[in-house]
């Protein structure tokens, strides 16, 4: 995965970040906005949040996601 090499992250790091972000959104129910930041703790990298619509499926498809997706961009 070329994008992992560009970010200088290993697969396990990406998995951990996404798990923490998912748990954070479920447990804390924060009001997330584009350009907010996220970090696991003060010693870890900061990530910029970008929200976009998910265009993978048509609106009448069972798998359509009306909530969109969040991209975490390493600062």
């Amino acid at each position: 995965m070329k994008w992992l090499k560009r970010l200088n992250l290993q697969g396990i790091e990406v998995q951990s970040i996404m798990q923490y972000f998912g748990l954070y959104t479920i447990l804390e129910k924060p009001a997330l906005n584009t350009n907010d930041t996220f970090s696991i703790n003060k010693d870890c990298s900061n990530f910029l949040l970008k929200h976009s619509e998910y265009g993978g499926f048509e609106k009448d498809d069972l798998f359509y996601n009306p909530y969109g997706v969040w991209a975490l961009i390493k600062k």
Side-chain angles (χ1 to χ4, degrees), residues 4-69:
L4 279 178
K5 291 178 184 175
R6 279 199 318 259
L7 291 176
N8 197 24
L9 294 173
Q10 299 298 318
I12 194 71
E13 292 174 299
V14 173
Q15 179 184 359
S16 294
I17 292 163
M18 295 309 297
Q19 285 177 337
Y20 277 103
F21 181 71
L23 284 172
Y24 170 68
T25 59
I26 291 169
L27 297 175
E28 300 292 328
K29 297 180 179 40
L32 299 174
N33 297 295
T34 293
N35 296 324
D36 284 351
T37 58
F38 173 78
S39 181
I40 293 173
N41 62 42
K42 63 180 178 155
D43 299 324
C44 291
S45 299
N46 284 323
F47 293 87
L48 188 65
L49 300 176
K50 295 285 183 186
H51 184 264
S52 63
E53 290 187 26
Y54 178 70
F57 298 95
E58 299 293 325
K59 288 187 177 184
D60 61 348
D61 193 295
L62 177 64
F63 296 109
Y64 174 72
N65 176 2
Y67 305 106
V69 295

